[in-house]
Amino acid sequence: MDIQIIDIPKIKNANGNIGVIENDVVPFDIKRVYYLYDVPSSAKRGGHAHKKLQQLLVALSGSFDVVLKDGTGKQIITLNKPDKALLITSNIWRELENFSSGAVCMVIASEVYEEEDYIRDYESFLEYVKINK
Ligand code: T46
């Protein structure tokens, strides 16, 4: 599956850490940054794929699970460290769940928001990946 964990460079001293994300860390040009917060522990986010958009997900605080499907396989990645980013390329179904209290999920995206880029129906996603292999 076309996912990857990327290390976010850290500047560390006795007063704490700084995580720095510059263009060389991200394998695409950054067009948008957004974040999910105040997510109830019972909530599921995502439940869609993107045709073009790629993104990095970072647990800035707390933890959550990312369930990934590419039409043939499934993987579950727990994000719980602010110096680790999950790269999700296009055509991968994602669901986010098991948010801890205070979890913040930052997303760095390759595209601006465009509803036409979403596939929100799982059967349509399976058809789409079959055709676009
Ligand atoms: C992903 C997960 C981690 C906008 O108007 N602009 C935006 O930039 C975004 C992200 C959303 N919206 C609107 C579209 C929907 O009416 O906000 C509503 C909820 O958005 P969505 O269903 O995309 O939310 P999530 O949290 O399920 O998914 C988002 C990203 O879309 C998605 O790429 O991987 O966060």
Side-chain angles (χ1 to χ4, degrees):
M1 194 177 304
D2 206 0
I3 58 159
Q4 203 185 317
I5 298 290
I6 292 177
D7 289 320
I8 299 173
K10 196 183 340 180
I11 300 165
K12 200 174 172 178
N13 70 28
N15 297 320
N17 302 326
I18 306 176
V20 183
I21 301 175
E22 291 184 334
N23 268 314
D24 58 341
V25 177
V26 184
F28 50 77
D29 286 337
I30 299 167
K31 295 255 181 72
R32 180 168 50 128
V33 176
Y34 60 92
Y35 43 93
L36 313 178
Y37 63 102
D38 286 349
V39 181
S41 58
S42 58
K44 287 184 194 289
R45 309 282 319 201
H48 57 252
H50 289 278
K51 296 176 195 162
K52 190 168 67 164
L53 178 141
Q54 303 181 55
Q55 59 190 24
L56 285 182
L57 267 57
V58 184
L60 286 187
S61 174
S63 67
F64 51 87
D65 294 335
V66 187
V67 182
L68 300 152
K69 295 175 189 166
D70 65 0
T72 50
K74 173 179 169 178
Q75 245 180 287
I76 302 177
I77 306 280
T78 299
L79 289 179
N80 55 11
K81 293 189 177 73
D83 63 348
K84 300 283 174 202
L86 171 65
L87 171 67
I88 308 176
T89 57
S90 54
N91 297 332
I92 294 183
W93 188 266
R94 86 288 317 268
E95 287 154 16
L96 280 69
E97 59 190 27
N98 293 330
F99 282 83
S100 71
S101 158
V104 179
C105 170
M106 178 176 69
V107 184
I108 296 174
S110 66
E111 310 296 332
V112 297
Y113 172 72
E114 248 185 297
E115 187 57 38
E116 300 70 45
D117 189 58
Y118 283 74
I119 307 171
R120 292 192 183 270
D121 171 70
Y122 190 65
E123 291 307 314
S124 307
F125 163 70
L126 292 177
E127 281 301 307
Y128 188 85
V129 286
K130 218 187 282 174
I131 293 163
N132 291 282
K133 247 183 193 164

